Amino acid sequence: MDGRTIAPGQTTTPMNLAVLGAQWGDEGKGKVVDLLTPNFDIVARYQGGHNAGHTVYVNGRKFVLRLIPSGMLHPGVTCVIGNGVVVDPTALFAEIDELAHAGIDVTNRLFVSDKAHLILPYHRDLDLLSEARRGERKIGTTSRGIGPAYEDKIARRGIRVGDLADPAGLEKNIRDNVNARNRLVHDSTMEVEPVLATLLDQARRLLPLARDVSLMLNDAMRAGRRIMFEGAQGTLLDIDHGTYPYVTSSNATIGGACTGLGVGPRAIGAVVGVVKAYTTRVGEGPLPTELSDDMGQRLRDSGNEYGAVTGRPRRCGWYDAVAVRYGARINGLDALALTKLDVLDGLERIDICTSYRCGGKTLTEFPSDVAQLAACEPVYESMPGWTSPTKGARRYDELPEAARRYVARLEEISGVPAAIISTGSDRGETILRQDVIAAKLGSLVLKTGD
Ligand code: IMP
């Protein structure tokens, strides 16, 4: 950590920051959260599960965090998994073990809400089954059991981390759930005992991590400690505000931070939306700026756009300012963290989608209806590209002029300034725009890791 300092703003009260995805996920939240962690005492994940894959590079070494908050690579920082997250104990333990193998000890630094719901083996089966049943209308899920676990939560039959402390009650619930699954799935003869035995075994490791996370965070705030709220997936994958039904099953948008952790809205001092300098999406559903040609492949190759969790190739397209403006509105974004600018290095021209053309009309607002979105054609504005590289730039004035003009246009058309610009995967390959940070984030972001 080099403790590069940024002019502090006027605020003296400790304030907290939310960092979330403002596109279709995979925006580079892991890097941004890791980078900003030195300013915070606690990093708290508020939704999603191990469908997320937050990639962090430190000194060229790659870490993929799925459930564990991306602040974990900083010694002394506490990481919290909120009640809004769905936890697969097997995946969580595998991640803890991977970190231990890399010399990162989570002991007394990682806590899980006792209200977080568990993903059980039958959820994974049901995820696959539900996709198969949807046929051509499949969502393209990550097959991790995320949707079925949230379904059980909403249907009030889910099993929470805290339930592991009551083996008798747990047995009854597992029996009901496994039997229900056997009725639902043709030819299924899943047995209760192995599911229960595994869970009771896992309880010994999971229960010591369980906490009342809302109480923990509110006590911490009263004691003047700073929290970063970490979102997973992205605004357009949000269950309410995303491109329903082609979405994940949780609130990736800012409201999820309050409900997924048990903190009030005033706990959130500012919101940073992470966006790529272009657009990607994994899974099914409309993507207005999708490029199915050589340019799409060029972005995929240079951006290494393959899923961190499933390895699936990501669909790639130009920056969609209609979608980002929508993300800015839904989340009340104060600033953007613009990532992967370097992926555009060497392109002759770069397009930006400024509006949609739909049924003979021009749309400047993101439509609510997925069928309408699917029928939209992007309206592009073309900008000249740049030949000298942005890769690794650490200062805004190091960027080629055309790249600066591109960033300025994205800010203007998205309606939000870029406080952070990422020019490579390593922590140091980042531009911190002190003027924007001071104006929009005040004392929130003072120093970064290196
Ligand atoms: P699920 O979250 O596995 O149910 O998948 C629902 C949709 O969200 C699918 O289109 C997935 O590809 C997408 N999705 C889920 N998690 C992520 C993520 O972390 N990044 C990008 N897309 C995701």
PDB file of all heavy atoms in Angstrom, residues 306-329:
ATOM      1  N   TYR A 306     -14.394 -13.482 -20.457  1.00  0.00           N
ATOM      2  CA  TYR A 306     -14.880 -14.841 -20.201  1.00  0.00           C
ATOM      3  C   TYR A 306     -15.227 -14.897 -18.727  1.00  0.00           C
ATOM      4  O   TYR A 306     -14.471 -14.385 -17.885  1.00  0.00           O
ATOM      5  CB  TYR A 306     -13.813 -15.874 -20.583  1.00  0.00           C
ATOM      6  CG  TYR A 306     -13.527 -15.856 -22.067  1.00  0.00           C
ATOM      7  CD1 TYR A 306     -12.561 -15.010 -22.592  1.00  0.00           C
ATOM      8  CD2 TYR A 306     -14.290 -16.636 -22.936  1.00  0.00           C
ATOM      9  CE1 TYR A 306     -12.341 -14.938 -23.963  1.00  0.00           C
ATOM     10  CE2 TYR A 306     -14.067 -16.580 -24.316  1.00  0.00           C
ATOM     11  CZ  TYR A 306     -13.097 -15.734 -24.822  1.00  0.00           C
ATOM     12  OH  TYR A 306     -12.896 -15.674 -26.178  1.00  0.00           O
ATOM     13  N   GLY A 307     -16.391 -15.481 -18.388  1.00  0.00           N
ATOM     14  CA  GLY A 307     -16.902 -15.448 -17.020  1.00  0.00           C
ATOM     15  C   GLY A 307     -15.895 -15.933 -15.983  1.00  0.00           C
ATOM     16  O   GLY A 307     -15.280 -16.984 -16.173  1.00  0.00           O
ATOM     17  N   ALA A 308     -15.743 -15.169 -14.889  1.00  0.00           N
ATOM     18  CA  ALA A 308     -14.821 -15.548 -13.814  1.00  0.00           C
ATOM     19  C   ALA A 308     -15.325 -16.789 -13.084  1.00  0.00           C
ATOM     20  O   ALA A 308     -14.555 -17.534 -12.497  1.00  0.00           O
ATOM     21  CB  ALA A 308     -14.660 -14.395 -12.829  1.00  0.00           C
ATOM     22  N   VAL A 309     -16.643 -17.034 -13.110  1.00  0.00           N
ATOM     23  CA  VAL A 309     -17.215 -18.170 -12.389  1.00  0.00           C
ATOM     24  C   VAL A 309     -17.447 -19.349 -13.322  1.00  0.00           C
ATOM     25  O   VAL A 309     -17.076 -20.475 -13.026  1.00  0.00           O
ATOM     26  CB  VAL A 309     -18.544 -17.759 -11.694  1.00  0.00           C
ATOM     27  CG1 VAL A 309     -19.278 -18.954 -11.143  1.00  0.00           C
ATOM     28  CG2 VAL A 309     -18.259 -16.763 -10.581  1.00  0.00           C
ATOM     29  N   THR A 310     -18.062 -19.088 -14.484  1.00  0.00           N
ATOM     30  CA  THR A 310     -18.455 -20.202 -15.351  1.00  0.00           C
ATOM     31  C   THR A 310     -17.554 -20.357 -16.573  1.00  0.00           C
ATOM     32  O   THR A 310     -17.664 -21.349 -17.280  1.00  0.00           O
ATOM     33  CB  THR A 310     -19.898 -19.988 -15.861  1.00  0.00           C
ATOM     34  OG1 THR A 310     -19.923 -18.738 -16.567  1.00  0.00           O
ATOM     35  CG2 THR A 310     -20.902 -19.931 -14.719  1.00  0.00           C
ATOM     36  N   GLY A 311     -16.712 -19.372 -16.848  1.00  0.00           N
ATOM     37  CA  GLY A 311     -15.840 -19.436 -18.022  1.00  0.00           C
ATOM     38  C   GLY A 311     -16.566 -19.147 -19.323  1.00  0.00           C
ATOM     39  O   GLY A 311     -15.978 -19.193 -20.399  1.00  0.00           O
ATOM     40  N   ARG A 312     -17.882 -18.829 -19.234  1.00  0.00           N
ATOM     41  CA  ARG A 312     -18.646 -18.587 -20.466  1.00  0.00           C
ATOM     42  C   ARG A 312     -18.157 -17.321 -21.167  1.00  0.00           C
ATOM     43  O   ARG A 312     -17.847 -16.327 -20.501  1.00  0.00           O
ATOM     44  CB  ARG A 312     -20.133 -18.385 -20.133  1.00  0.00           C
ATOM     45  CG  ARG A 312     -20.833 -19.650 -19.708  1.00  0.00           C
ATOM     46  CD  ARG A 312     -22.300 -19.395 -19.429  1.00  0.00           C
ATOM     47  NE  ARG A 312     -22.513 -18.570 -18.244  1.00  0.00           N
ATOM     48  CZ  ARG A 312     -23.702 -18.155 -17.836  1.00  0.00           C
ATOM     49  NH1 ARG A 312     -24.786 -18.449 -18.519  1.00  0.00           N
ATOM     50  NH2 ARG A 312     -23.825 -17.422 -16.738  1.00  0.00           N
ATOM     51  N   PRO A 313     -18.120 -17.325 -22.524  1.00  0.00           N
ATOM     52  CA  PRO A 313     -17.751 -16.082 -23.213  1.00  0.00           C
ATOM     53  C   PRO A 313     -18.813 -15.021 -22.937  1.00  0.00           C
ATOM     54  O   PRO A 313     -20.003 -15.323 -22.927  1.00  0.00           O
ATOM     55  CB  PRO A 313     -17.749 -16.461 -24.694  1.00  0.00           C
ATOM     56  CG  PRO A 313     -18.248 -17.846 -24.792  1.00  0.00           C
ATOM     57  CD  PRO A 313     -18.406 -18.434 -23.432  1.00  0.00           C
ATOM     58  N   ARG A 314     -18.371 -13.802 -22.652  1.00  0.00           N
ATOM     59  CA  ARG A 314     -19.337 -12.729 -22.417  1.00  0.00           C
ATOM     60  C   ARG A 314     -19.720 -12.092 -23.739  1.00  0.00           C
ATOM     61  O   ARG A 314     -18.894 -11.991 -24.651  1.00  0.00           O
ATOM     62  CB  ARG A 314     -18.738 -11.667 -21.500  1.00  0.00           C
ATOM     63  CG  ARG A 314     -18.439 -12.208 -20.124  1.00  0.00           C
ATOM     64  CD  ARG A 314     -17.844 -11.138 -19.218  1.00  0.00           C
ATOM     65  NE  ARG A 314     -17.457 -11.724 -17.947  1.00  0.00           N
ATOM     66  CZ  ARG A 314     -16.348 -11.414 -17.269  1.00  0.00           C
ATOM     67  NH1 ARG A 314     -15.509 -10.502 -17.743  1.00  0.00           N
ATOM     68  NH2 ARG A 314     -16.072 -11.996 -16.135  1.00  0.00           N
ATOM     69  N   ARG A 315     -20.959 -11.673 -23.842  1.00  0.00           N
ATOM     70  CA  ARG A 315     -21.413 -10.927 -25.022  1.00  0.00           C
ATOM     71  C   ARG A 315     -20.893  -9.498 -24.879  1.00  0.00           C
ATOM     72  O   ARG A 315     -20.956  -8.929 -23.786  1.00  0.00           O
ATOM     73  CB  ARG A 315     -22.937 -10.948 -25.061  1.00  0.00           C
ATOM     74  CG  ARG A 315     -23.488 -12.379 -25.163  1.00  0.00           C
ATOM     75  CD  ARG A 315     -24.883 -12.487 -24.623  1.00  0.00           C
ATOM     76  NE  ARG A 315     -25.849 -11.731 -25.385  1.00  0.00           N
ATOM     77  CZ  ARG A 315     -27.087 -11.454 -24.945  1.00  0.00           C
ATOM     78  NH1 ARG A 315     -27.493 -11.883 -23.750  1.00  0.00           N
ATOM     79  NH2 ARG A 315     -27.919 -10.771 -25.699  1.00  0.00           N
ATOM     80  N   CYS A 316     -20.356  -8.942 -25.958  1.00  0.00           N
ATOM     81  CA  CYS A 316     -19.704  -7.633 -25.854  1.00  0.00           C
ATOM     82  C   CYS A 316     -20.346  -6.624 -26.796  1.00  0.00           C
ATOM     83  O   CYS A 316     -20.824  -6.993 -27.877  1.00  0.00           O
ATOM     84  CB  CYS A 316     -18.228  -7.756 -26.240  1.00  0.00           C
ATOM     85  SG  CYS A 316     -17.313  -8.847 -25.150  1.00  0.00           S
ATOM     86  N   GLY A 317     -20.328  -5.379 -26.407  1.00  0.00           N
ATOM     87  CA  GLY A 317     -20.856  -4.314 -27.264  1.00  0.00           C
ATOM     88  C   GLY A 317     -20.334  -2.962 -26.833  1.00  0.00           C
ATOM     89  O   GLY A 317     -19.568  -2.848 -25.868  1.00  0.00           O
ATOM     90  N   TRP A 318     -20.758  -1.933 -27.540  1.00  0.00           N
ATOM     91  CA  TRP A 318     -20.329  -0.564 -27.224  1.00  0.00           C
ATOM     92  C   TRP A 318     -20.975  -0.071 -25.934  1.00  0.00           C
ATOM     93  O   TRP A 318     -21.977  -0.634 -25.472  1.00  0.00           O
ATOM     94  CB  TRP A 318     -20.689   0.392 -28.370  1.00  0.00           C
ATOM     95  CG  TRP A 318     -20.016   0.107 -29.678  1.00  0.00           C
ATOM     96  CD1 TRP A 318     -20.631  -0.191 -30.861  1.00  0.00           C
ATOM     97  CD2 TRP A 318     -18.604   0.117 -29.951  1.00  0.00           C
ATOM     98  NE1 TRP A 318     -19.698  -0.377 -31.847  1.00  0.00           N
ATOM     99  CE2 TRP A 318     -18.437  -0.189 -31.314  1.00  0.00           C
ATOM    100  CE3 TRP A 318     -17.462   0.350 -29.181  1.00  0.00           C
ATOM    101  CZ2 TRP A 318     -17.197  -0.267 -31.937  1.00  0.00           C
ATOM    102  CZ3 TRP A 318     -16.216   0.273 -29.790  1.00  0.00           C
ATOM    103  CH2 TRP A 318     -16.095  -0.027 -31.143  1.00  0.00           C
ATOM    104  N   TYR A 319     -20.434   0.991 -25.396  1.00  0.00           N
ATOM    105  CA  TYR A 319     -20.957   1.625 -24.180  1.00  0.00           C
ATOM    106  C   TYR A 319     -22.393   2.087 -24.436  1.00  0.00           C
ATOM    107  O   TYR A 319     -22.676   2.740 -25.443  1.00  0.00           O
ATOM    108  CB  TYR A 319     -20.080   2.824 -23.833  1.00  0.00           C
ATOM    109  CG  TYR A 319     -20.401   3.497 -22.509  1.00  0.00           C
ATOM    110  CD1 TYR A 319     -19.788   3.061 -21.328  1.00  0.00           C
ATOM    111  CD2 TYR A 319     -21.283   4.568 -22.441  1.00  0.00           C
ATOM    112  CE1 TYR A 319     -20.053   3.694 -20.117  1.00  0.00           C
ATOM    113  CE2 TYR A 319     -21.551   5.201 -21.228  1.00  0.00           C
ATOM    114  CZ  TYR A 319     -20.932   4.756 -20.078  1.00  0.00           C
ATOM    115  OH  TYR A 319     -21.192   5.379 -18.885  1.00  0.00           O
ATOM    116  N   ASP A 320     -23.262   1.741 -23.515  1.00  0.00           N
ATOM    117  CA  ASP A 320     -24.675   2.082 -23.651  1.00  0.00           C
ATOM    118  C   ASP A 320     -25.014   3.150 -22.608  1.00  0.00           C
ATOM    119  O   ASP A 320     -25.251   2.848 -21.442  1.00  0.00           O
ATOM    120  CB  ASP A 320     -25.508   0.804 -23.440  1.00  0.00           C
ATOM    121  CG  ASP A 320     -26.992   1.031 -23.642  1.00  0.00           C
ATOM    122  OD1 ASP A 320     -27.427   2.200 -23.585  1.00  0.00           O
ATOM    123  OD2 ASP A 320     -27.719   0.039 -23.834  1.00  0.00           O
ATOM    124  N   ALA A 321     -25.037   4.399 -23.060  1.00  0.00           N
ATOM    125  CA  ALA A 321     -25.270   5.501 -22.109  1.00  0.00           C
ATOM    126  C   ALA A 321     -26.718   5.535 -21.622  1.00  0.00           C
ATOM    127  O   ALA A 321     -26.989   6.046 -20.531  1.00  0.00           O
ATOM    128  CB  ALA A 321     -24.894   6.831 -22.754  1.00  0.00           C
ATOM    129  N   VAL A 322     -27.648   4.968 -22.404  1.00  0.00           N
ATOM    130  CA  VAL A 322     -29.045   4.926 -21.939  1.00  0.00           C
ATOM    131  C   VAL A 322     -29.113   4.043 -20.692  1.00  0.00           C
ATOM    132  O   VAL A 322     -29.721   4.399 -19.677  1.00  0.00           O
ATOM    133  CB  VAL A 322     -29.995   4.366 -23.032  1.00  0.00           C
ATOM    134  CG1 VAL A 322     -31.439   4.424 -22.574  1.00  0.00           C
ATOM    135  CG2 VAL A 322     -29.814   5.100 -24.345  1.00  0.00           C
ATOM    136  N   ALA A 323     -28.445   2.897 -20.770  1.00  0.00           N
ATOM    137  CA  ALA A 323     -28.443   1.963 -19.634  1.00  0.00           C
ATOM    138  C   ALA A 323     -27.730   2.573 -18.420  1.00  0.00           C
ATOM    139  O   ALA A 323     -28.191   2.434 -17.291  1.00  0.00           O
ATOM    140  CB  ALA A 323     -27.766   0.654 -20.054  1.00  0.00           C
ATOM    141  N   VAL A 324     -26.622   3.254 -18.648  1.00  0.00           N
ATOM    142  CA  VAL A 324     -25.873   3.815 -17.511  1.00  0.00           C
ATOM    143  C   VAL A 324     -26.639   4.984 -16.879  1.00  0.00           C
ATOM    144  O   VAL A 324     -26.672   5.119 -15.656  1.00  0.00           O
ATOM    145  CB  VAL A 324     -24.435   4.221 -17.909  1.00  0.00           C
ATOM    146  CG1 VAL A 324     -23.713   4.888 -16.747  1.00  0.00           C
ATOM    147  CG2 VAL A 324     -23.646   2.990 -18.381  1.00  0.00           C
ATOM    148  N   ARG A 325     -27.299   5.784 -17.715  1.00  0.00           N
ATOM    149  CA  ARG A 325     -28.129   6.874 -17.157  1.00  0.00           C
ATOM    150  C   ARG A 325     -29.218   6.298 -16.263  1.00  0.00           C
ATOM    151  O   ARG A 325     -29.533   6.827 -15.203  1.00  0.00           O
ATOM    152  CB  ARG A 325     -28.799   7.664 -18.284  1.00  0.00           C
ATOM    153  CG  ARG A 325     -27.937   8.751 -18.886  1.00  0.00           C
ATOM    154  CD  ARG A 325     -28.792   9.799 -19.601  1.00  0.00           C
ATOM    155  NE  ARG A 325     -29.635   9.260 -20.656  1.00  0.00           N
ATOM    156  CZ  ARG A 325     -29.263   9.112 -21.931  1.00  0.00           C
ATOM    157  NH1 ARG A 325     -28.051   9.452 -22.323  1.00  0.00           N
ATOM    158  NH2 ARG A 325     -30.103   8.631 -22.827  1.00  0.00           N
ATOM    159  N   TYR A 326     -29.780   5.189 -16.710  1.00  0.00           N
ATOM    160  CA  TYR A 326     -30.803   4.500 -15.922  1.00  0.00           C
ATOM    161  C   TYR A 326     -30.201   4.024 -14.595  1.00  0.00           C
ATOM    162  O   TYR A 326     -30.771   4.227 -13.519  1.00  0.00           O
ATOM    163  CB  TYR A 326     -31.320   3.322 -16.752  1.00  0.00           C
ATOM    164  CG  TYR A 326     -32.317   2.422 -16.079  1.00  0.00           C
ATOM    165  CD1 TYR A 326     -33.607   2.847 -15.810  1.00  0.00           C
ATOM    166  CD2 TYR A 326     -31.969   1.101 -15.733  1.00  0.00           C
ATOM    167  CE1 TYR A 326     -34.531   1.997 -15.208  1.00  0.00           C
ATOM    168  CE2 TYR A 326     -32.877   0.255 -15.142  1.00  0.00           C
ATOM    169  CZ  TYR A 326     -34.165   0.709 -14.878  1.00  0.00           C
ATOM    170  OH  TYR A 326     -35.069  -0.140 -14.280  1.00  0.00           O
ATOM    171  N   GLY A 327     -29.010   3.432 -14.666  1.00  0.00           N
ATOM    172  CA  GLY A 327     -28.313   2.979 -13.457  1.00  0.00           C
ATOM    173  C   GLY A 327     -28.029   4.139 -12.519  1.00  0.00           C
ATOM    174  O   GLY A 327     -28.126   4.013 -11.292  1.00  0.00           O
ATOM    175  N   ALA A 328     -27.716   5.298 -13.099  1.00  0.00           N
ATOM    176  CA  ALA A 328     -27.439   6.485 -12.278  1.00  0.00           C
ATOM    177  C   ALA A 328     -28.701   6.912 -11.548  1.00  0.00           C
ATOM    178  O   ALA A 328     -28.664   7.297 -10.375  1.00  0.00           O
ATOM    179  CB  ALA A 328     -26.919   7.610 -13.168  1.00  0.00           C
ATOM    180  N   ARG A 329     -29.831   6.817 -12.234  1.00  0.00           N
ATOM    181  CA  ARG A 329     -31.112   7.217 -11.620  1.00  0.00           C
ATOM    182  C   ARG A 329     -31.527   6.245 -10.517  1.00  0.00           C
ATOM    183  O   ARG A 329     -31.854   6.650  -9.405  1.00  0.00           O
ATOM    184  CB  ARG A 329     -32.195   7.272 -12.713  1.00  0.00           C
ATOM    185  CG  ARG A 329     -33.627   7.247 -12.177  1.00  0.00           C
ATOM    186  CD  ARG A 329     -34.610   7.869 -13.146  1.00  0.00           C
ATOM    187  NE  ARG A 329     -34.668   7.213 -14.431  1.00  0.00           N
ATOM    188  CZ  ARG A 329     -35.484   6.177 -14.710  1.00  0.00           C
ATOM    189  NH1 ARG A 329     -36.252   5.643 -13.773  1.00  0.00           N
ATOM    190  NH2 ARG A 329     -35.503   5.655 -15.933  1.00  0.00           N
TER     191      ARG A 329
END
